[in-house]
Amino acid sequence: MPIYRFIAQSKFSDPRAEIYLSDARALGFNDLQRITCQDLYFVEGQLSQEFSQQLALKLLTDPVTQSITWAELPAVPTTLEPDTVMVEVALRPGVTDPVAEQIVRASRELGLNGITRAATGMRFLIQGADQATAEKLAKRLLANNVIHQWTIGEITPSFPEETASSGVVEVIPVRGLN
């Protein structure tokens, strides 16, 4: 089944970016010039161009304040400005992604059937950093290694695995344990 990557970005100054830059400088990353934040949405399903546009404009963005692009994966790699490193962060497999769950639910309510699964993430474009600096920044600020996976460049999305209950109840006696 095809997977699509939607990238949403603020048309104006994004307060998240200013906060990340301020926090990075507080951690000693003083050479950074700018951090740009973008929201990532990964959608698995049969999507036409018209369906993708409706999904993007009705559900994934506020068209007044955000712009969005999308492409089917694998897509042409993103071209970066010189002296810029891209870090993408997403939830680890098994971590609940309530936004992704709501994308699937809301798309069905809007009559946009065809989406089977979704996942979310963030993209950071770090200007004024080399790869080693971006890796340190990702470990210390951009990702929580307990719940996030991250990579320099474009991340491979991970979708939650659907599991069914076996119906078996296991009883564990705790009385008498020390």
Side-chain angles (χ1 to χ4, degrees):
M1 182 110 8
I3 298 173
Y4 297 83
R5 175 194 308 260
F6 291 79
I7 304 167
Q9 179 174 326
S10 178
K11 292 179 182 177
F12 310 107
S13 176
D14 187 344
R16 298 177 301 176
E18 295 169 15
I19 292 169
Y20 276 114
L21 183 59
S22 174
D23 289 350
R25 289 185 175 149
L27 289 171
F29 296 94
N30 296 318
D31 294 335
L32 302 182
Q33 298 165 4
R34 184 174 71 204
I35 296 177
T36 303
C37 299
Q38 299 174 335
D39 297 305
L40 298 176
Y41 304 100
F42 300 98
V43 176
E44 182 182 65
Q46 297 293 337
L47 309 182
S48 66
Q49 187 68 15
E50 180 184 336
F51 181 96
S52 297
Q53 185 173 11
Q54 289 181 12
L55 180 66
L57 297 178
K58 289 183 179 179
L59 193 58
L60 301 180
T61 61
D62 174 358
V64 174
T65 62
Q66 294 177 304
S67 61
I68 191 163
T69 60
W70 61 88
E72 184 177 347
L73 297 179
V76 176
T78 304
T79 307
L80 299 175
E81 296 177 16
D83 199 27
T84 300
V85 179
M86 178 172 55
V87 175
E88 289 191 353
V89 178
L91 293 171
R92 291 187 180 277
V95 176
T96 303
D97 190 344
V99 174
E101 292 171 4
Q102 293 306 313
I103 289 170
V104 174
R105 182 198 59 77
S107 66
R108 290 184 181 137
E109 284 187 14
L110 290 171
L112 302 173
N113 298 316
I115 294 178
T116 55
R117 299 187 297 178
T120 62
M122 292 248 341
R123 174 184 282 182
F124 299 95
L125 302 175
I126 306 164
Q127 190 174 9
D130 58 7
Q131 187 167 336
T133 301
E135 287 177 7
K136 290 177 188 173
L137 187 62
K139 289 176 185 175
R140 295 188 64 197
L141 178 66
L142 304 178
N144 176 344
N145 286 319
V146 174
I147 62 169
H148 293 124
Q149 58 184 346
W150 61 271
T151 188
I152 302 294
E154 295 183 346
I155 200 161
T156 302
S158 63
F159 296 98
E161 295 296 324
E162 294 185 23
T163 57
S165 172
S166 66
V168 176
V169 176
E170 183 177 351
V171 176
I172 301 172
V174 293
R175 190 178 306 185
L177 295 177
N178 58 21

